[in-house]
Amino acid sequence: MRAEDSEILYAAIAGIGLLVVVLLIWLAVVSRKLSRLTRQYRAMIGGTGVADLETVISNLQQRTADAAREIERLTGGLSRLEETVRQSAGRIGIVRYNAFADQGSDLSFAIAIVNEERSGVVLSGIHSREETYVYAKPVKGGESAYPLTPEERQAIEQAGLQPAAAAASRHGQR
């Protein structure tokens, strides 16, 4: 064999050796990435009892659709509850006053029990020395078919306020 041919052969062997080293390094990097992906895949699939990703994704889509339907059902129920609460006569306004300036103290009262639309009832108690008279008047939209006294109007207005403001106003009346 000639010297030139042996140099070419050695160069080719060196090139092939270098290529093998580069391929081995590349194989190690790819193997490491594959190992990491396998661990992540197993961690994701692990608790499901299912062997493939497609089934897991399908199950997740089904659960998401079920959750969306449940949210829609609950939202409807919440809307009905909000309407019920809005219509409920749970707002209260109380005004105590002295019906007869020359007798007693603030033993007479007007109590309004209304909903958000200021519809409900107003109760009035007129206290004198011998007896107390109690009157009830229906209220719709803050008005009544019967004449309202200034104290009854004040109680309705107080009840129509926001709950926190009404509570503060009631505490100020005592």
Side-chain angles (χ1 to χ4, degrees), residues 91-99 105-114 121-127 132-137 139 147-160 169-170 173:
R91 296 172 181 252
I92 300 173
I94 301 172
V95 175
R96 291 181 60 132
Y97 62 97
N98 187 353
S105 60
D106 292 346
L107 297 177
S108 296
F109 62 88
I111 300 174
I113 304 170
V114 297
V121 66
V122 64
L123 303 171
S124 295
I126 312 268
H127 179 72
T132 298
Y133 296 96
V134 178
Y135 303 95
K137 298 176 186 175
V139 177
L148 294 171
T149 66
E151 293 82 11
E152 291 169 335
R153 288 191 184 281
Q154 185 181 354
I156 292 168
E157 288 302 314
Q158 191 181 89
S169 179
R170 269 185 253 144
Q173 290 288 327

Side-chain angles (χ1 to χ4, degrees), residues 28-101:
V29 169
V30 169
S31 177
R32 203 165 124 203
K33 285 184 179 182
L34 182 61
S35 175
R36 188 174 347 129
L37 282 173
T38 302
R39 276 194 315 272
Q40 290 174 344
Y41 178 79
R42 284 188 182 138
M44 184 173 65
I45 301 294
T48 64
V50 179
D52 65 336
L53 185 59
E54 188 175 322
T55 305
V56 170
I57 291 173
S58 175
N59 289 344
L60 286 174
Q61 286 176 333
Q62 181 61 42
R63 288 173 53 191
T64 301
D66 292 345
R69 281 191 296 277
E70 182 68 9
I71 288 170
E72 190 173 312
R73 186 186 70 78
L74 292 173
T75 300
L78 181 61
S79 296
R80 288 189 300 277
L81 283 174
E82 286 173 341
E83 181 62 21
T84 300
V85 167
R86 193 176 65 73
Q87 292 295 326
S88 297
R91 296 172 181 252
I92 300 173
I94 301 172
V95 175
R96 291 181 60 132
Y97 62 97
N98 187 353
F100 306 103

Side-chain angles (χ1 to χ4, degrees), residues 17 71 102 104 112 131 171:
I71 288 170
D102 59 338
E131 41 197 17
H171 291 321

